[in-house]
Amino acid sequence: MESGLSDLHNGGKEVMKISFENGNILLLKPRSMRNEQYFAELLEWLGERTGIDQYRYPILSEEDHSWCGIVEYRMCQSQAELHRYYQRIGEQLLLAYVLGTNDIHYENLIACGEYPVIIDLEALTHNANKAEDKTAEDAVRSWIGESVLSTGILPSYTWNASGEGIDGSALHSRKGQKLPFKIPTVDKGETSEMYITYREGYSSEGKNLAGMKGNEDNLAMYGEDILNGFSRAYMAVEQDKDCFIRKLEEGKGIKSRIVLMHTQRYTMLLNSSYHPSLLMDGADREIFLASVGQGRWEKQEEIVKAEINSLLNGDVPTFSF
């Protein structure tokens, strides 16, 4: 059994990887995977009308835990497979756009040969909190939030105040991008002089990039494939709209996670709160963690209190509806 594969949520629960003597490997997740099953069912409905099949890995979902198979990363063997890969991405993009699915970043997509596989769909849809656009920037953000870019699948940059940013998208995020913030690290570890300092961080390697051995991938080559897959899926929905709506109604009651803040920020704050100088007095640690509510106390006091309580218990906060 292997742990440390995910953040801790809801009382220290995490994903476990379990390997059996016969070579089989399963993941045990501390949540329902009805979201992933439902998304796969909708993709299957689309595929029956477009002729494009999708990869479906085995899932046994219960109310508070699930078992699932491992999706392995594999390279494509031909240009034809690469073209089909991006056509499938186009269909998945349409479905994610219709559902309002977001948070599909590079860690949530695995390129399994000619099949793109989304592996984490906790944020299956979102409950938009539409605010009045007071500036041109507000209007642009609203437009992006209502476009296909909001899914996280297509290349897009997350910027910081200095104008630097990274592409964390499912399709194009690469290893070695300089993060727009510093991360806490231990210097002079395993010595009596060890201390925590902040260093430049870089994006890690994912399993999201489709490619072929001996061939440098160029995403621009497959733009038409993405458009074709998206268009076919769109027309399938348009031509059988009533049936599609009935399929959507089958999803009533499924929980969806709301991403209020980047998990990376929660994790950095939580890790920093374990510094010895903050562990000597519980009040000091709580005051430090209260910084998560900076600029948000007035409008989101109840949410901030829940975030602080989760962090105090060693969990990364999650919210759902």
Side-chain angles (χ1 to χ4, degrees):
M1 298 176 67
E2 181 182 346
S3 62
L5 305 175
S6 69
D7 296 319
L8 302 182
H9 299 297
N10 303 321
K13 296 177 181 177
E14 62 176 318
V15 175
M16 300 291 292
K17 181 179 179 181
I18 302 176
S19 303
F20 296 89
E21 289 182 350
N22 62 6
N24 290 332
I25 303 175
L26 294 176
L27 293 180
L28 173 59
K29 296 192 176 187
R31 64 173 178 86
S32 167
M33 291 184 68
R34 179 59 186 136
N35 294 31
E36 286 81 357
Q37 289 178 321
Y38 178 63
F39 194 86
E41 290 165 7
L42 291 174
L43 277 180
E44 191 173 289
W45 184 93
L46 286 173
E48 291 172 354
R49 289 154 178 79
T50 64
I52 299 292
D53 66 319
Q54 301 276 355
Y55 184 92
R56 189 165 182 178
Y57 62 101
I59 296 173
L60 178 61
S61 179
E62 302 293 343
E63 186 68 26
D64 60 354
H65 71 280
S66 302
W67 297 87
C68 70
I70 297 284
V71 180
E72 299 288 351
Y73 174 78
R74 296 201 304 266
M75 300 287 282
C76 288
Q77 300 301 312
S78 66
Q79 281 291 337
E81 286 192 0
L82 276 170
H83 285 295
R84 290 195 294 270
Y85 178 94
Y86 286 103
Q87 289 170 21
R88 291 183 173 100
I89 275 285
E91 291 202 3
Q92 294 184 16
L93 179 63
L94 180 279
L95 184 54
Y97 175 57
V98 170
L99 292 174
T101 307
N102 53 31
D103 200 39
I104 307 177
H105 49 77
Y106 77 101
E107 292 179 314
N108 289 344
L109 178 74
I110 295 179
C112 183
E114 63 179 280
Y115 295 95
V117 185
I118 300 173
I119 58 169
D120 191 346
L121 283 160
E122 285 188 275
L124 184 65
T125 186
H126 71 277
N127 191 359
N129 183 17
K130 179 66 175 175
E132 181 182 354
D133 296 332
K134 296 181 179 179
T135 66
E137 184 176 352
D138 291 340
V140 170
R141 290 183 182 279
S142 293
W143 180 83
I144 292 175
E146 296 173 0
S147 74
V148 290
L149 290 177
S150 66
T151 64
I153 295 175
L154 297 178
S156 61
Y157 280 85
T158 301
W159 300 91
N160 70 351
S162 302
E164 300 176 353
I166 64 169
D167 177 8
S169 67
L171 270 190
H172 201 242
S173 180
R174 297 175 179 275
K175 178 183 179 181
Q177 299 180 85
K178 183 179 177 181
L179 300 176
F181 47 80
K182 293 185 177 182
I183 58 176
T185 58
V186 176
D187 205 359
K188 295 188 177 180
E190 300 182 7
T191 74
S192 60
E193 298 177 346
M194 67 191 314
Y195 64 95
I196 293 178
T197 185
Y198 285 82
R199 298 183 182 275
E200 301 290 352
Y202 296 87
S203 60
S204 58
E205 184 175 19
K207 300 178 180 179
N208 58 306
L209 296 176
M212 192 172 65
K213 290 182 179 178
N215 180 55
E216 185 175 346
D217 65 310
N218 181 359
L219 187 58
M221 292 174 55
Y222 307 102
E224 285 298 319
D225 294 310
I226 297 173
L227 287 173
N228 289 338
F230 187 95
S231 300
R232 278 200 301 266
Y234 179 92
M235 293 307 299
V237 172
E238 177 66 22
Q239 291 170 6
D240 206 351
K241 190 181 299 183
D242 291 340
C243 182
F244 184 72
I245 290 173
R246 288 194 294 272
K247 289 294 294 183
L248 289 180
E249 289 174 346
E250 293 176 9
K252 287 182 178 179
I254 293 179
K255 280 188 176 181
S256 186
R257 180 177 174 181
I258 303 173
V259 181
L260 297 177
M261 189 178 297
H262 287 299
T263 300
Q264 180 71 31
R265 182 177 174 188
Y266 284 136
T267 303
M268 286 175 57
L269 194 64
L270 181 60
N271 290 342
S272 298
S273 75
Y274 293 133
H275 190 281
S277 64
L278 295 174
L279 293 177
M280 289 188 293
D281 189 326
D284 289 340
R285 183 168 183 260
E286 186 167 351
I287 291 170
F288 174 79
L289 291 174
S291 64
V292 73
Q294 186 174 3
R296 300 164 55 219
W297 280 101
E298 185 176 342
K299 294 183 178 179
Q300 299 181 359
E301 181 178 356
E302 188 176 346
I303 291 173
V304 171
K305 287 181 177 179
E307 289 174 333
I308 294 172
N309 187 60
S310 291
L311 291 166
L312 284 171
N313 288 306
D315 287 337
V316 172
T318 60
F319 300 92
S320 62
F321 68 97

